[in-house]
Amino acid sequence: MQKLVEETDYFILYSLAEGVYAAISKPGQGAWSNAGIVDLGEELVVFDSMSTPSAGRDLKTCAEKITGKKVKYLVNSHYHGDHVFGNQAFYDSTLISTSVTRYLIQKKNIIDDVSKEKQEMEDYLDALKVKIQTLDESSIKSSLENQYNEMSKVLEDLPHLKVVLPEVHFEDILILEGTKRRAELHCNGGGHTPSDTFMYLPLDNIVFMSDLVAEGLHLPLYNPEDFKSILEKVKQLDIDTLIPGHGEIGGKDKLHTFADYVSMISDRSQEAVRNKVPLDLFISSFKTPEEFSKWEGTKGIKGNLTTAYTFYADDN
């Protein structure tokens, strides 16, 4: 059973089992995504580093304070900045990711000109503020407001941000074995990005899913077929507690809900492609199922419908 351990400006830390903790981000405060802390026995693992150096430092400080150990390993689940921009706080730890994720962090996130990046981010935030003021759809408006707040926190930390790359790479699975427990890092391809890692603790029946599962959020899809396959494999694991990349701690029901969502997007998109329904008509006439109608996301459900439709259309 989860127990509140500590609260910072960026996240709330919960104990899930002896030596296992989940850091659940506070909306709009600079953490943006959830993270995990796992005591293996002699060594300490942190899963994802949040979206700013400041949040990353708080995460590392909490991890080392509550366990009395130095962080040995930091795992990057995928390349998105809200999960890796805190990496520099773990300068004295060993950073781990798949080789694809490492490549994408370097390709997508390296900042060559800070002043130019700062100006572009300020322009983006100004445009976002105008867009928010003109929107009526509450779920998208709420998502954009959170995006604005989170990106503003990234902007504050931008002058101090250093993108740190993982130095240890794996492909399909990496086992971190300790005297108390083992942590299994699994990558079964890419659903949300080209390469997505989740962390499974078989002794505790706990899984940290990162952005392979979210709560009430239209997470962007990268490859709907791989996404479905990954989630089907995770369903075979013994899981009592699941920590999504965004949202609250829960159980396996969160996995099933998100898997249903991905399958629905996939099935409806394939049907439209088979029936040669034009993309614009498919999107404009789509009726969101009630169970997903209140989900948030900066592009709503339309972004994922477009991605999936294009994926299957290109495959024909």
Side-chain angles (χ1 to χ4, degrees):
M1 181 177 292
Q2 66 194 54
K3 177 183 177 182
L4 193 153
V5 175
E6 190 153 342
E7 183 172 350
T8 78
D9 291 338
Y10 303 98
F11 56 83
I12 301 174
L13 192 67
Y14 295 95
S15 172
L16 308 179
E18 184 181 355
V20 182
Y21 307 87
I24 305 301
S25 64
K26 291 182 173 181
Q29 299 303 308
W32 207 342
S33 62
N34 299 333
I37 300 167
V38 179
D39 184 353
L40 299 179
E42 298 299 319
E43 298 169 333
L44 189 61
V45 181
V46 170
F47 184 76
D48 279 343
S49 65
M50 301 185 157
S51 71
T52 60
S54 296
R57 282 193 295 272
D58 256 26
L59 181 62
K60 183 184 181 187
T61 297
C62 280
E64 295 184 341
K65 182 174 75 172
I66 61 177
T67 64
K69 300 170 184 177
K70 292 289 185 181
V71 176
K72 174 67 174 178
Y73 301 112
L74 170 68
V75 180
N76 286 157
S77 64
H78 62 289
Y79 78 91
H80 286 163
D82 57 325
H83 296 259
V84 305
F85 280 169
N87 278 7
Q88 70 190 71
F90 299 84
Y91 64 91
D92 55 351
S93 303
T94 299
L95 274 63
I96 301 173
S97 76
T98 65
S99 56
V100 173
T101 291
R102 195 264 188 201
Y103 167 77
L104 290 170
I105 293 173
Q106 184 174 33
K107 181 180 180 181
K108 302 284 190 179
N109 297 337
I110 293 294
I111 299 171
D112 295 320
D113 187 334
V114 174
S115 60
K116 180 181 178 182
E117 185 73 22
K118 182 174 182 291
Q119 185 60 57
E120 289 177 352
M121 195 175 292
E122 289 173 345
D123 291 344
Y124 168 78
L125 288 171
D126 288 342
L128 190 58
K129 183 184 289 186
V130 173
K131 185 176 182 180
I132 290 169
Q133 293 170 347
T134 63
L135 278 175
D136 293 323
E137 191 172 342
S138 60
S139 61
I140 294 181
K141 186 170 185 175
S142 175
S143 298
L144 290 177
E145 287 172 343
N146 186 64
Q147 177 105 345
Y148 181 89
N149 292 333
E150 295 289 4
M151 289 297 293
S152 296
K153 294 296 183 180
V154 175
L155 180 60
E156 289 177 11
D157 268 17
L158 188 62
H160 317 291
L161 176 61
K162 296 178 182 178
V163 176
V164 179
L165 300 174
E167 59 253 284
V168 173
H169 315 130
F170 73 101
E171 300 307 319
D172 304 313
I173 184 169
L174 178 65
I175 307 296
L176 301 176
E177 193 75 54
T179 56
K180 285 186 178 179
R181 60 172 53 84
R182 76 174 183 270
E184 300 179 0
L185 306 179
H186 292 263
C187 179
N188 297 313
H192 172 61
T193 71
S195 182
D196 297 295
T197 295
F198 66 89
M199 180 171 66
Y200 177 54
L201 309 178
L203 180 66
D204 308 282
N205 295 346
I206 295 172
V207 64
F208 292 84
M209 290 299 296
S210 193
D211 282 1
L212 288 168
V213 173
E215 180 181 19
L217 181 64
H218 297 290
L219 273 179
L221 307 186
Y222 170 75
N223 183 318
E225 285 299 308
D226 279 359
F227 217 140
K228 289 190 295 183
S229 175
I230 292 166
L231 297 182
E232 284 303 313
K233 290 176 181 177
V234 179
K235 286 180 182 179
Q236 308 309 310
L237 302 175
D238 288 330
I239 297 170
D240 294 326
T241 305
L242 182 150
I243 301 85
H246 301 269
E248 299 299 322
I249 300 163
K252 211 168 185 177
D253 57 308
K254 289 186 183 292
L255 171 64
H256 287 284
T257 297
F258 205 79
D260 289 346
Y261 170 77
V262 175
S263 293
M264 181 273 296
I265 294 286
S266 172
D267 292 345
R268 297 287 293 276
S269 299
Q270 288 184 81
E271 180 183 16
V273 170
R274 282 195 305 271
N275 293 330
K276 301 187 185 306
V277 178
L279 174 60
D280 57 350
L281 179 59
F282 170 54
I283 298 298
S284 63
S285 62
F286 185 86
K287 301 298 183 185
T288 304
E290 178 63 28
E291 60 266 37
F292 309 122
S293 62
K294 295 182 180 179
W295 284 27
E296 297 188 350
T298 56
K299 295 182 179 180
I301 199 169
K302 294 179 181 179
N304 283 334
L305 291 171
T306 302
T307 297
Y309 181 100
T310 304
F311 176 86
Y312 292 115
D314 290 345
D315 203 38
N316 283 350

